[in-house]
Coordinates of all heavy atoms in Angstrom, one line a residue:
M1 N -14.9 18.3 10.6 CA -13.5 18.4 10.2 C -12.9 17.1 10.1 O -13.2 16.2 10.9 CB -12.8 19.3 11.3 CG -13.0 20.8 11.0 SD -12.0 21.9 12.0 CE -10.4 21.4 11.7
S2 N -11.9 16.9 9.2 CA -11.2 15.6 9.1 C -10.1 15.6 10.1 O -9.6 16.6 10.6 CB -10.7 15.5 7.7 OG -9.8 16.5 7.4
E3 N -9.7 14.3 10.4 CA -8.5 14.1 11.3 C -7.2 14.6 10.6 O -7.1 14.5 9.4 CB -8.4 12.6 11.5 CG -9.5 12.0 12.3 CD -9.4 12.2 13.8 OE1 -8.3 12.0 14.3 OE2 -10.4 12.5 14.4
P4 N -6.3 15.1 11.4 CA -5.0 15.5 10.8 C -4.3 14.2 10.4 O -4.4 13.2 11.0 CB -4.3 16.2 12.0 CG -4.9 15.7 13.2 CD -6.4 15.4 12.8
M5 N -3.5 14.3 9.3 CA -2.8 13.2 8.8 C -1.6 12.9 9.7 O -0.9 13.8 10.1 CB -2.2 13.4 7.4 CG -3.3 13.6 6.3 SD -2.6 13.5 4.6 CE -1.1 14.2 4.7
N6 N -1.5 11.6 10.1 CA -0.4 11.2 11.0 C 0.6 10.3 10.3 O 1.2 9.5 10.9 CB -0.9 10.6 12.3 CG -1.7 9.4 12.1 OD1 -2.1 9.1 10.9 ND2 -1.9 8.6 13.1
Y7 N 0.6 10.4 8.9 CA 1.5 9.5 8.2 C 2.1 10.3 7.1 O 1.7 11.5 6.8 CB 0.7 8.4 7.5 CG -0.4 8.8 6.6 CD1 -0.2 9.1 5.3 CD2 -1.7 8.9 7.1 CE1 -1.2 9.6 4.4 CE2 -2.8 9.3 6.2 CZ -2.5 9.6 4.9 OH -3.5 10.0 4.1
L8 N 3.2 9.8 6.5 CA 3.9 10.4 5.4 C 3.6 9.6 4.2 O 2.9 8.5 4.3 CB 5.4 10.3 5.7 CG 5.9 10.9 7.0 CD1 7.4 10.6 7.2 CD2 5.7 12.4 7.0
D9 N 4.0 10.0 3.0 CA 3.8 9.2 1.8 C 4.9 8.2 1.7 O 5.9 8.3 2.4 CB 3.5 9.9 0.6 CG 4.7 10.7 0.0 OD1 5.8 10.1 0.0 OD2 4.5 11.8 -0.5
G10 N 4.7 7.2 0.9 CA 5.7 6.1 0.7 C 7.1 6.5 0.3 O 8.1 5.8 0.6
N11 N 7.2 7.7 -0.3 CA 8.5 8.2 -0.6 C 9.5 8.3 0.6 O 10.7 8.2 0.5 CB 8.4 9.6 -1.3 CG 7.9 9.5 -2.7 OD1 8.4 8.7 -3.5 ND2 6.9 10.2 -3.1
A12 N 8.9 8.5 1.7 CA 9.7 8.7 2.9 C 10.4 7.4 3.4 O 11.3 7.5 4.2 CB 8.8 9.2 4.1
A13 N 10.0 6.3 2.8 CA 10.7 5.0 3.1 C 11.9 4.8 2.2 O 12.6 3.8 2.4 CB 9.7 3.9 2.9
A14 N 12.1 5.7 1.3 CA 13.2 5.4 0.3 C 14.6 5.2 1.0 O 15.3 4.3 0.6 CB 13.3 6.6 -0.7
G15 N 14.9 5.9 2.0 CA 16.2 5.8 2.7 C 16.3 4.4 3.3 O 17.3 3.7 3.1
E16 N 15.3 4.1 4.1 CA 15.3 2.8 4.8 C 15.4 1.6 3.8 O 16.1 0.7 4.0 CB 14.1 2.7 5.8 CG 14.3 3.4 7.1 CD 15.5 3.0 7.9 OE1 15.6 1.8 8.1 OE2 16.2 3.8 8.3
L17 N 14.5 1.7 2.8 CA 14.4 0.6 1.9 C 15.7 0.5 1.0 O 16.0 -0.6 0.5 CB 13.2 0.7 1.0 CG 11.9 0.5 1.8 CD1 10.7 0.8 0.9 CD2 11.7 -0.9 2.4
S18 N 16.4 1.6 0.8 CA 17.6 1.5 -0.1 C 18.7 0.7 0.6 O 19.7 0.4 0.0 CB 18.0 2.9 -0.4 OG 18.6 3.6 0.7
K19 N 18.6 0.5 1.9 CA 19.6 -0.3 2.7 C 19.4 -1.8 2.3 O 20.3 -2.6 2.6 CB 19.4 -0.1 4.2 CG 19.7 1.3 4.6 CD 19.4 1.5 6.1 CE 19.6 2.9 6.6 NZ 19.1 3.1 7.9
I20 N 18.2 -2.1 1.8 CA 17.9 -3.5 1.5 C 17.8 -3.8 0.0 O 18.4 -4.8 -0.4 CB 16.6 -3.9 2.2 CG1 16.7 -3.8 3.7 CG2 16.2 -5.3 1.8 CD1 15.4 -4.0 4.5
F21 N 17.1 -2.9 -0.7 CA 16.9 -3.1 -2.1 C 17.9 -2.3 -2.9 O 18.1 -1.1 -2.6 CB 15.5 -2.7 -2.5 CG 14.5 -3.6 -1.9 CD1 13.8 -3.2 -0.8 CD2 14.1 -4.8 -2.5 CE1 12.8 -4.1 -0.2 CE2 13.2 -5.7 -1.9 CZ 12.5 -5.3 -0.8
A22 N 18.4 -2.9 -4.0 CA 19.3 -2.2 -4.9 C 18.6 -1.2 -5.8 O 19.1 -0.2 -6.3 CB 20.1 -3.1 -5.8
M23 N 17.3 -1.5 -6.0 CA 16.4 -0.6 -6.8 C 15.5 0.2 -6.0 O 15.3 0.0 -4.8 CB 15.6 -1.5 -7.8 CG 16.5 -2.4 -8.7 SD 15.5 -3.5 -9.7 CE 14.7 -2.3 -10.8
D24 N 15.0 1.3 -6.6 CA 14.1 2.2 -5.9 C 12.7 1.6 -5.8 O 12.0 1.6 -6.8 CB 14.0 3.6 -6.7 CG 13.1 4.6 -6.0 OD1 12.7 4.3 -4.8 OD2 12.9 5.6 -6.6
V25 N 12.4 1.1 -4.6 CA 11.1 0.5 -4.4 C 10.0 1.5 -4.4 O 8.8 1.1 -4.8 CB 11.1 -0.3 -3.0 CG1 9.8 -0.8 -2.7 CG2 12.2 -1.4 -3.1
T26 N 10.2 2.7 -4.1 CA 9.1 3.7 -4.0 C 8.5 3.9 -5.4 O 7.3 4.3 -5.5 CB 9.6 5.0 -3.4 OG1 10.6 5.6 -4.2 CG2 10.1 4.9 -2.0
A27 N 9.3 3.7 -6.5 CA 8.8 3.9 -7.8 C 8.0 2.6 -8.3 O 7.4 2.6 -9.4 CB 9.9 4.2 -8.8
A28 N 8.2 1.5 -7.6 CA 7.6 0.2 -8.0 C 6.1 0.2 -7.8 O 5.6 0.9 -6.9 CB 8.2 -0.9 -7.2
E29 N 5.4 -0.6 -8.6 CA 4.0 -0.8 -8.3 C 3.8 -2.1 -7.5 O 4.4 -3.1 -7.8 CB 3.2 -1.0 -9.7 CG 1.7 -1.2 -9.5 CD 1.0 -1.6 -10.7 OE1 0.6 -0.7 -11.5 OE2 0.8 -2.8 -11.0
G30 N 2.9 -2.0 -6.5 CA 2.6 -3.1 -5.7 C 1.1 -3.3 -5.7 O 0.3 -2.4 -5.9
Q31 N 0.7 -4.6 -5.4 CA -0.7 -4.9 -5.2 C -1.0 -5.3 -3.8 O -0.3 -6.1 -3.2 CB -1.1 -6.1 -6.1 CG -2.6 -6.3 -6.0 CD -3.1 -7.4 -6.9 OE1 -2.4 -8.3 -7.2 NE2 -4.4 -7.3 -7.4
C32 N -2.0 -4.6 -3.2 CA -2.4 -4.9 -1.9 C -3.0 -6.3 -1.8 O -3.9 -6.7 -2.6 CB -3.4 -3.9 -1.4 SG -4.1 -4.2 0.2
A33 N -2.5 -7.1 -0.8 CA -3.0 -8.5 -0.7 C -4.4 -8.5 -0.1 O -5.1 -9.5 -0.1 CB -2.0 -9.3 0.2
H34 N -4.8 -7.4 0.5 CA -6.1 -7.4 1.1 C -7.3 -6.9 0.2 O -8.3 -7.6 0.1 CB -6.1 -6.5 2.4 CG -4.9 -6.8 3.3 ND1 -4.9 -7.9 4.1 CD2 -3.7 -6.2 3.5 CE1 -3.8 -8.0 4.8 NE2 -3.0 -7.0 4.4
C35 N -7.1 -5.8 -0.5 CA -8.2 -5.2 -1.3 C -7.9 -5.3 -2.8 O -8.8 -5.0 -3.6 CB -8.5 -3.8 -0.9 SG -7.2 -2.6 -1.4
G36 N -6.7 -5.7 -3.2 CA -6.3 -5.8 -4.6 C -5.9 -4.6 -5.3 O -5.6 -4.6 -6.5
A37 N -5.9 -3.4 -4.6 CA -5.5 -2.2 -5.2 C -4.1 -2.2 -5.7 O -3.2 -2.8 -5.1 CB -5.7 -1.0 -4.2
K38 N -3.9 -1.7 -6.9 CA -2.5 -1.7 -7.5 C -2.1 -0.2 -7.5 O -2.7 0.6 -8.2 CB -2.6 -2.2 -8.9 CG -3.0 -3.7 -9.0 CD -3.1 -4.1 -10.4 CE -3.7 -5.5 -10.4 NZ -4.2 -5.9 -11.8
R39 N -1.1 0.1 -6.8 CA -0.6 1.5 -6.7 C 0.9 1.5 -6.6 O 1.5 0.6 -6.3 CB -1.1 2.1 -5.4 CG -2.6 2.3 -5.3 CD -3.1 3.5 -6.0 NE -4.5 3.6 -6.0 CZ -5.2 4.4 -5.2 NH1 -4.6 5.0 -4.2 NH2 -6.5 4.4 -5.3
R40 N 1.5 2.7 -7.0 CA 2.9 2.9 -6.8 C 3.1 2.9 -5.2 O 2.3 3.4 -4.5 CB 3.4 4.2 -7.3 CG 3.5 4.2 -8.9 CD 4.1 5.5 -9.4 NE 4.2 6.6 -8.5 CZ 5.3 7.2 -8.2 NH1 6.4 6.9 -8.8 NH2 5.3 8.2 -7.4
F41 N 4.3 2.3 -4.8 CA 4.6 2.2 -3.4 C 4.6 3.6 -2.8 O 4.3 3.8 -1.6 CB 5.9 1.5 -3.2 CG 6.2 1.3 -1.7 CD1 5.6 0.2 -1.0 CD2 7.0 2.1 -1.0 CE1 5.8 0.0 0.3 CE2 7.2 2.0 0.4 CZ 6.6 0.9 1.0
A42 N 5.0 4.6 -3.6 CA 5.1 6.0 -3.1 C 3.8 6.5 -2.6 O 3.7 7.5 -1.8 CB 5.7 6.9 -4.2
E43 N 2.7 5.9 -3.1 CA 1.3 6.4 -2.7 C 0.9 5.8 -1.4 O -0.2 6.2 -0.8 CB 0.3 6.0 -3.8 CG 0.6 6.8 -5.1 CD -0.4 6.4 -6.2 OE1 -1.6 6.4 -5.9 OE2 0.1 6.0 -7.3
A44 N 1.6 4.8 -0.9 CA 1.3 4.2 0.4 C 1.3 5.2 1.5 O 2.0 6.2 1.4 CB 2.2 3.0 0.7
H45 N 0.6 4.9 2.6 CA 0.7 5.8 3.8 C 1.8 5.2 4.7 O 1.7 4.0 5.1 CB -0.7 5.8 4.5 CG -1.7 6.4 3.7 ND1 -3.1 6.4 4.1 CD2 -1.7 7.1 2.5 CE1 -3.8 7.0 3.1 NE2 -3.0 7.4 2.2
L46 N 2.7 6.0 5.0 CA 3.9 5.5 5.8 C 3.8 6.0 7.2 O 3.7 7.2 7.5 CB 5.2 6.0 5.1 CG 6.4 5.3 5.7 CD1 6.5 3.9 5.1 CD2 7.7 6.1 5.3
Y47 N 3.9 5.1 8.2 CA 3.9 5.5 9.6 C 5.2 5.2 10.2 O 5.8 4.2 10.0 CB 2.8 4.6 10.3 CG 1.4 4.9 9.9 CD1 0.9 4.3 8.7 CD2 0.6 5.9 10.6 CE1 -0.4 4.7 8.3 CE2 -0.7 6.2 10.1 CZ -1.1 5.6 9.0 OH -2.4 5.9 8.6
V48 N 5.8 6.3 10.8 CA 7.2 6.2 11.3 C 7.2 6.3 12.8 O 8.3 6.3 13.4 CB 8.1 7.2 10.6 CG1 8.2 6.9 9.1 CG2 7.6 8.6 10.8
Q49 N 6.1 6.5 13.5 CA 6.0 6.6 14.9 C 6.0 5.3 15.6 O 5.1 4.9 16.3 CB 4.8 7.4 15.4 CG 4.7 8.8 14.8 CD 3.8 8.7 13.5 OE1 3.6 7.7 12.9 NE2 3.4 9.9 13.0
C50 N 7.0 4.4 15.2 CA 7.0 3.1 15.7 C 8.5 2.6 15.6 O 9.3 3.3 14.9 CB 6.1 2.2 14.9 SG 6.2 2.4 13.1
P51 N 8.9 1.4 16.1 CA 10.2 1.0 15.9 C 10.4 0.5 14.5 O 10.3 -0.7 14.3 CB 10.4 -0.1 17.0 CG 9.0 -0.6 17.3 CD 8.1 0.6 17.0
G52 N 10.7 1.3 13.6 CA 10.8 1.0 12.2 C 9.8 1.7 11.4 O 9.3 2.8 11.8
V53 N 9.4 1.2 10.3 CA 8.4 1.9 9.4 C 7.3 0.9 9.1 O 7.5 -0.3 8.9 CB 9.0 2.5 8.1 CG1 10.0 3.6 8.5 CG2 9.6 1.4 7.3
V54 N 6.1 1.4 9.0 CA 4.9 0.6 8.5 C 4.3 1.3 7.4 O 3.9 2.5 7.5 CB 3.9 0.4 9.7 CG1 2.7 -0.3 9.2 CG2 4.5 -0.4 10.9
A55 N 4.1 0.6 6.2 CA 3.4 1.2 5.1 C 2.1 0.5 5.0 O 1.9 -0.7 5.1 CB 4.2 0.9 3.8
R56 N 1.0 1.4 4.9 CA -0.3 0.9 4.8 C -0.9 1.3 3.4 O -0.6 2.3 2.9 CB -1.2 1.5 5.9 CG -0.8 1.0 7.3 CD -1.7 1.5 8.4 NE -1.5 0.9 9.6 CZ -2.1 -0.2 10.1 NH1 -3.0 -0.7 9.3 NH2 -1.8 -0.7 11.2
C57 N -1.9 0.5 3.0 CA -2.5 0.7 1.7 C -3.3 2.0 1.7 O -4.0 2.3 2.7 CB -3.5 -0.5 1.4 SG -4.5 -0.3 0.0
A58 N -3.2 2.8 0.7 CA -3.9 4.1 0.6 C -5.4 3.9 0.4 O -6.1 4.9 0.6 CB -3.3 5.0 -0.6
V59 N -5.8 2.7 0.0 CA -7.2 2.5 -0.2 C -7.9 1.9 1.0 O -8.9 2.4 1.5 CB -7.4 1.5 -1.4 CG1 -8.9 1.2 -1.6 CG2 -6.8 2.2 -2.7
C60 N -7.3 0.8 1.5 CA -8.0 0.1 2.7 C -7.3 0.2 4.0 O -7.8 -0.2 5.0 CB -8.2 -1.4 2.3 SG -6.6 -2.4 2.4
E61 N -6.1 0.8 4.0 CA -5.3 1.1 5.3 C -4.8 -0.2 5.9 O -4.3 -0.1 7.0 CB -6.1 1.9 6.3 CG -6.1 3.4 6.0 CD -4.8 4.1 6.1 OE1 -4.0 3.7 7.0 OE2 -4.5 5.0 5.3
R62 N -4.9 -1.3 5.3 CA -4.3 -2.5 5.9 C -2.8 -2.4 5.6 O -2.3 -1.7 4.7 CB -4.8 -3.8 5.2 CG -6.3 -3.9 5.4 CD -6.8 -4.5 6.7 NE -6.4 -5.8 6.9 CZ -7.0 -6.9 6.6 NH1 -8.2 -6.9 5.9 NH2 -6.6 -8.1 6.9
V63 N -2.0 -3.2 6.4 CA -0.5 -3.2 6.3 C 0.0 -3.8 5.1 O -0.4 -5.0 4.7 CB 0.1 -3.9 7.6 CG1 1.6 -4.0 7.4 CG2 -0.3 -3.1 8.9
L64 N 0.8 -3.1 4.3 CA 1.5 -3.6 3.1 C 2.9 -4.1 3.5 O 3.3 -5.2 3.0 CB 1.7 -2.5 2.1 CG 0.4 -1.9 1.5 CD1 0.8 -0.7 0.6 CD2 -0.3 -2.9 0.7
L65 N 3.6 -3.4 4.3 CA 5.0 -3.7 4.5 C 5.4 -3.2 5.9 O 5.0 -2.1 6.4 CB 5.9 -3.0 3.5 CG 7.4 -3.0 3.6 CD1 8.0 -3.0 2.2 CD2 7.9 -1.8 4.4
R66 N 6.2 -4.0 6.6 CA 6.8 -3.6 7.9 C 8.3 -3.8 7.8 O 8.8 -4.8 7.3 CB 6.3 -4.5 9.0 CG 4.9 -4.2 9.5 CD 4.5 -5.1 10.7 NE 4.0 -6.3 10.2 CZ 2.8 -6.7 10.4 NH1 2.0 -6.0 11.2 NH2 2.3 -7.8 9.9
L67 N 9.0 -2.8 8.3 CA 10.5 -2.9 8.3 C 11.0 -2.4 9.7 O 10.7 -1.3 10.1 CB 11.1 -2.0 7.2 CG 12.6 -1.9 7.2 CD1 13.3 -3.3 7.0 CD2 13.1 -1.0 6.1
V68 N 11.7 -3.3 10.3 CA 12.2 -3.0 11.7 C 13.7 -3.3 11.7 O 14.1 -4.4 11.2 CB 11.5 -3.8 12.8 CG1 12.2 -3.6 14.1 CG2 10.0 -3.5 12.8
N69 N 14.5 -2.4 12.2 CA 15.9 -2.6 12.3 C 16.2 -2.8 13.8 O 15.8 -2.0 14.6 CB 16.7 -1.4 11.8 CG 16.7 -1.3 10.3 OD1 17.0 -2.2 9.6 ND2 16.1 -0.2 9.9
A70 N 16.8 -3.9 14.2 CA 17.1 -4.2 15.6 C 18.4 -5.0 15.6 O 18.6 -6.0 14.9 CB 16.0 -5.0 16.2
R71 N 19.3 -4.6 16.5 CA 20.5 -5.3 16.7 C 21.2 -5.7 15.4 O 21.6 -6.9 15.2 CB 20.3 -6.6 17.6 CG 19.8 -6.3 18.9 CD 19.7 -7.5 19.8 NE 18.9 -7.3 21.0 CZ 17.9 -8.0 21.4 NH1 17.6 -9.1 20.7 NH2 17.3 -7.7 22.5
Q72 N 21.4 -4.7 14.6 CA 22.2 -4.9 13.3 C 21.5 -5.9 12.4 O 22.2 -6.5 11.6 CB 23.6 -5.2 13.6 CG 24.3 -4.1 14.3 CD 25.8 -4.4 14.5 OE1 26.2 -5.5 14.7 NE2 26.6 -3.3 14.5
R73 N 20.2 -6.1 12.5 CA 19.5 -7.0 11.6 C 18.2 -6.2 11.2 O 17.6 -5.5 11.9 CB 19.0 -8.3 12.3 CG 20.2 -9.2 12.6 CD 19.6 -10.6 13.0 NE 20.7 -11.5 13.1 CZ 21.3 -11.9 14.2 NH1 20.9 -11.4 15.3 NH2 22.3 -12.8 14.2
A74 N 17.8 -6.4 9.9 CA 16.6 -5.8 9.4 C 15.6 -6.9 9.2 O 15.9 -8.0 8.7 CB 16.9 -5.2 8.0
F75 N 14.4 -6.7 9.7 CA 13.3 -7.6 9.6 C 12.3 -7.0 8.6 O 11.8 -5.9 8.9 CB 12.6 -7.8 11.0 CG 13.5 -8.5 11.9 CD1 14.4 -7.8 12.7 CD2 13.5 -9.9 12.1 CE1 15.2 -8.4 13.6 CE2 14.3 -10.5 13.0 CZ 15.2 -9.8 13.7
L76 N 12.0 -7.7 7.5 CA 11.2 -7.1 6.5 C 10.0 -8.1 6.3 O 10.1 -9.3 6.1 CB 11.9 -7.0 5.2 CG 11.1 -6.5 4.0 CD1 10.7 -5.1 4.2 CD2 12.0 -6.6 2.7
D77 N 8.8 -7.5 6.5 CA 7.5 -8.3 6.4 C 6.7 -7.7 5.2 O 6.3 -6.6 5.3 CB 6.7 -8.2 7.7 CG 5.4 -8.9 7.6 OD1 5.0 -9.4 6.5 OD2 4.7 -8.9 8.6
M78 N 6.6 -8.4 4.1 CA 5.9 -7.9 3.0 C 4.6 -8.8 2.7 O 4.1 -8.8 1.5 CB 6.8 -7.9 1.7 CG 8.0 -7.0 1.9 SD 9.1 -7.0 0.5 CE 8.0 -6.2 -0.7
R79 N 4.1 -9.4 3.7 CA 2.9 -10.2 3.5 C 1.7 -9.5 3.0 O 0.8 -10.1 2.4 CB 2.5 -10.9 4.8 CG 3.3 -12.1 5.2 CD 2.9 -12.6 6.5 NE 3.3 -11.7 7.6 CZ 3.0 -11.8 8.8 NH1 2.4 -12.9 9.2 NH2 3.4 -11.0 9.7
G80 N 1.7 -8.2 3.2 CA 0.5 -7.4 2.8 C 0.5 -7.1 1.3 O -0.4 -6.4 0.8
M81 N 1.5 -7.5 0.6 CA 1.6 -7.2 -0.9 C 1.6 -8.5 -1.6 O 2.4 -9.5 -1.4 CB 2.8 -6.4 -1.2 CG 2.6 -5.0 -1.0 SD 3.9 -4.0 -1.7 CE 5.2 -4.0 -0.4
T82 N 0.7 -8.6 -2.6 CA 0.7 -9.8 -3.5 C 1.9 -9.8 -4.4 O 2.5 -10.9 -4.6 CB -0.6 -9.7 -4.4 OG1 -1.7 -9.6 -3.6 CG2 -0.7 -11.0 -5.3
Y83 N 2.3 -8.6 -4.9 CA 3.5 -8.5 -5.6 C 4.0 -7.1 -5.5 O 3.3 -6.2 -5.1 CB 3.3 -8.9 -7.1 CG 2.5 -8.0 -7.9 CD1 3.0 -6.8 -8.4 CD2 1.1 -8.2 -8.1 CE1 2.2 -5.9 -9.1 CE2 0.3 -7.4 -8.8 CZ 0.9 -6.2 -9.3 OH 0.1 -5.3 -10.0
L84 N 5.3 -7.0 -5.9 CA 5.9 -5.7 -6.1 C 6.6 -5.7 -7.4 O 7.5 -6.5 -7.6 CB 7.0 -5.4 -4.9 CG 7.6 -4.1 -4.8 CD1 6.5 -3.0 -4.6 CD2 8.6 -4.0 -3.7
R85 N 6.2 -4.9 -8.4 CA 6.7 -4.9 -9.7 C 7.8 -3.8 -9.9 O 7.4 -2.6 -9.8 CB 5.6 -4.7 -10.8 CG 6.1 -5.0 -12.2 CD 5.0 -4.7 -13.2 NE 4.8 -3.3 -13.3 CZ 3.7 -2.7 -13.7 NH1 2.6 -3.4 -14.0 NH2 3.6 -1.4 -13.8
L86 N 9.0 -4.2 -10.1 CA 10.2 -3.2 -10.2 C 10.5 -3.1 -11.7 O 10.6 -4.1 -12.4 CB 11.3 -3.7 -9.5 CG 11.1 -3.9 -7.9 CD1 11.9 -5.0 -7.4 CD2 11.4 -2.6 -7.2
D87 N 10.7 -1.9 -12.2 CA 11.0 -1.6 -13.5 C 12.5 -1.7 -13.7 O 13.3 -1.0 -13.1 CB 10.6 -0.2 -13.9 CG 10.8 0.1 -15.4 OD1 11.3 -0.8 -16.1 OD2 10.4 1.2 -15.8
T88 N 13.0 -2.7 -14.5 CA 14.4 -3.0 -14.6 C 15.0 -2.3 -15.9 O 16.2 -2.5 -16.2 CB 14.7 -4.5 -14.7 OG1 13.9 -5.0 -15.8 CG2 14.3 -5.2 -13.4
A89 N 14.2 -1.5 -16.6 CA 14.7 -0.9 -17.8 C 15.8 0.1 -17.5 O 15.8 0.8 -16.4 CB 13.6 -0.2 -18.5
Ligands
ZN101 ZN1 -5.7 -2.3 0.2

């Protein structure tokens, strides 16, 4: 038997990310800095059982993005992504 999923999909980050980005990041394509996979952010595995949210690559499970809100400040770490391509059309 497989392990039960303990993550949500990247769409669940839409609310938190909309506080920072004017555009919908979940529809954007990003490239994993670790394995090079190019996927829509919505396909990332989102972990919310932590102070903030952690998005992991759906292919290699390495961290793509971390977002923590603390003392009225948001800390955003996107080192796990080579790029995030937003459709401006
Ligand atoms: Zn990856």
